[in-house]
Amino acid sequence: MIRQSDDIIIGTVARMLVPFIQLFALYVIMHGHYSPGGGFQGGVILGASLVLLLITHGLPETKKLLSEKGVTILSCLGVLIYSGIGLLCLILLGNYLDYGQLSKILHVTPAEARSLGILGIETGVGLTVMAIMFSIFIDISTGGVLPEDEEE
Amino acid sequence: MEVTLLIQATDDSFRILEDAREQAEGLLTTAVKITSETRQIEEQKIQALFKGAQETKSGFQNFIATFFILMVFWTMLSGKFDLFHLALGVICSFLIAFMTQDLLFANTRVGDIRIIVQRFIAYIPWLLYQIILSNFHVAYLALSPKMPIDPKIIRFNTKLESDISWVTLANSITLTPGTITMDIMEGEFFIHALSKKVADDLNTGEMEDRVAHVFMEADHIYVQDVLDVARIYGALRKHA
């Protein structure tokens, strides 16, 4: 179980950097179709920001931001967004993940529909990757033992 | 007859002079007492004002400030100013500011954040100048054939109060070549210095004074601080 670091410099600098790291991660996700980056890379950066918070502020502080339940919900939600958009294209008489068919619902040209569809997919991928990275790190650091079990 | 009169006159004049001198001394001492008392009262007022300004910072203000800082950061990164990307930026900034509103501005003592930002920007050129100076010094140490180094560890208790100013001072010390902050233990700095000159520069405490001035620490109030605070004080007195 990881406790809060007692070094003032590390704690303060990490505290001030985490919001900017998270915003950069979202920028990487949202601009994945113009520049390098995308869902997986952005998700890894998001997960890294949470891991930084975890090793500087300890597990209880980080659980206020993202609990065990939240990790489960987010990882499933990402997969749901991905497969949901794919199935929606299948229902609209196209192939699986054939975003051009989304133009019938969204009232935009097929090219714009493809761009928006890719953005949705990337968001789902990013959410899942972030949650899974964070949960893997928690499992390794606690050895699979939850802090509630330690207190008993 | 005239002689006695003259002696009396001189006596009288001497007595008058004595009285006048005693009165003047009394006046001066009371004046000094009054000024010192008023200064103490003013300092107490300003310290109370700092505490009040710290307490009035609410969570909502932190949220708004974080949101705007992140939005500026987003536009710098993105460089696209169409409605779609700006809307994405607003949504992302809002989400992250909502999640991490207590991280960016946690327990910083805030007098007036605008003054602190101005002074911090004014502090950076001086720091760069110091970095260049100590660069030349360390290059001289490395290139001279004798290598006149004298490594030692300096300990000193800081007079700074908030953790943000501690971190600023520690990183400024680390940025200047020749000195490295090793650790901060309960307000005591442990610093590794490369030579005697560098250690003497550090012991003058100029850097510490400047950092204290930047973050408006109440331990030693400069005239400039009083002038800066007067505006806030007037605003607070209107509310009361």
Side-chain angles (χ1 to χ4, degrees):
Chain A
M1 162 121 185
I2 297 179
R3 282 175 187 79
Q4 181 161 5
S5 156
D6 56 351
D7 195 314
I8 291 167
I9 303 173
I10 291 175
T12 309
V13 173
R15 178 166 70 70
M16 294 178 77
L17 274 182
V18 161
F20 293 102
I21 296 175
Q22 289 182 345
L23 193 82
F24 180 73
L26 288 188
Y27 157 80
V28 166
I29 293 178
M30 300 297 172
H31 293 246
H33 40 292
Y34 303 107
S35 54
F40 187 82
Q41 288 81 355
V44 169
I45 299 173
L46 265 179
S49 79
L50 287 173
V51 167
L52 176 68
L53 202 66
L54 178 64
I55 60 182
T56 51
H57 285 72
L59 195 56
E61 193 70 24
T62 319
K63 284 217 170 146
K64 291 177 192 168
L65 203 65
L66 186 60
S67 57
E68 295 273 336
K69 203 173 176 182
V71 167
T72 315
I73 290 173
L74 280 184
S75 54
C76 297
L77 187 72
V79 178
L80 185 73
I81 289 173
Y82 190 102
S83 56
I85 290 177
L87 280 177
L88 197 62
C89 303
L90 204 61
I91 292 167
L92 293 172
L93 308 176
N95 293 323
Y96 189 73
L97 292 178
D98 184 3
Y99 313 113
Q101 307 298 326
L102 291 174
S103 59
K104 296 171 188 170
I105 300 180
L106 299 172
H107 306 295
V108 288
T109 62
E112 283 173 342
R114 284 200 178 85
S115 165
L116 285 174
I118 290 176
L119 189 64
I121 293 287
E122 301 279 346
T123 312
V125 171
L127 280 180
T128 302
V129 168
M130 173 195 75
I132 295 298
M133 286 278 160
F134 188 58
S135 86
I136 287 174
F137 193 85
I138 283 185
D139 287 347
I140 290 175
S141 63
T142 57
V145 181
L146 290 179
E148 291 89 52
D149 303 344
E150 280 186 4
E151 286 163 11
E152 285 171 5
Chain B
M1 189 71 194
E2 284 116 353
V3 177
T4 51
L5 275 178
L6 193 67
I7 289 170
Q8 270 186 348
T10 45
D11 259 354
D12 287 346
S13 58
F14 268 122
R15 226 171 271 136
I16 289 167
L17 270 177
E18 282 280 331
D19 288 349
R21 206 169 57 86
E22 278 174 10
Q23 276 182 356
E25 271 188 0
L27 275 176
L28 274 177
T29 47
T30 47
V32 168
K33 219 180 271 175
I34 287 171
T35 47
S36 67
E37 278 173 6
T38 48
R39 178 167 300 170
Q40 272 181 359
I41 290 169
E42 272 182 3
E43 288 198 4
Q44 281 169 358
K45 270 183 188 170
I46 287 168
Q47 284 184 7
L49 173 73
F50 269 120
K51 282 170 188 158
Q54 239 173 310
E55 283 160 12
T56 52
K57 284 277 170 201
S58 67
F60 183 70
Q61 279 173 310
N62 285 349
F63 171 73
I64 295 293
T66 311
F67 173 78
F68 274 106
I69 290 172
L70 288 179
M71 195 62 215
V72 168
F73 187 59
W74 173 277
T75 46
M76 275 167 54
L77 282 175
S78 169
K80 296 185 187 296
F81 294 102
D82 52 313
L83 186 65
F84 179 69
H85 287 97
L86 282 182
L88 277 182
V90 167
I91 292 167
C92 295
S93 306
F94 187 86
L95 270 177
I96 289 172
F98 182 72
M99 281 171 72
T100 63
Q101 55 184 306
D102 55 342
L103 283 181
L104 201 57
F105 293 111
N107 65 34
T108 50
R109 56 170 302 144
V110 178
D112 187 344
I113 191 79
R114 285 164 298 181
I115 295 174
I116 289 177
V117 168
Q118 282 174 21
R119 289 184 181 182
F120 188 76
I121 291 170
Y123 169 74
I124 289 171
W126 179 83
L127 182 64
L128 286 176
Y129 174 67
Q130 293 299 108
I131 289 173
I132 290 167
L133 279 188
S134 39
N135 258 311
F136 279 119
H137 178 66
V138 174
Y140 156 73
L141 287 182
L143 293 175
S144 63
K146 281 185 184 176
M147 279 257 289
I149 58 171
D150 179 21
K152 63 176 79 164
I153 290 174
I154 308 172
R155 302 167 54 167
F156 66 87
N157 276 311
T158 183
K159 60 194 173 194
L160 302 174
E161 289 167 2
S162 62
D163 57 354
I164 184 78
S165 52
W166 286 5
V167 171
T168 309
L169 180 62
N171 281 328
S172 305
I173 288 169
T174 306
L175 271 172
T176 47
T179 49
I180 288 176
T181 308
M182 295 159 60
D183 206 353
I184 306 177
M185 304 273 288
E186 291 161 4
E188 194 178 17
F189 279 60
F190 289 79
I191 291 156
H192 180 273
L194 189 63
S195 71
K196 193 172 181 308
K197 177 183 175 296
V198 174
D200 290 346
D201 284 353
L202 192 67
N203 280 328
T204 55
E206 191 190 359
M207 190 177 266
E208 197 178 11
D209 284 349
R210 279 176 186 268
V211 173
H213 178 71
V214 166
F215 288 100
M216 298 170 83
E217 300 276 356
D219 258 6
H220 35 97
I221 294 167
Y222 297 92
V223 177
Q224 192 58 42
D225 277 343
V226 177
L227 289 178
D228 288 338
V229 162
R231 202 160 43 83
I232 316 171
Y233 187 54
L236 281 182
R237 222 169 26 183
K238 267 183 209 164
H239 285 297

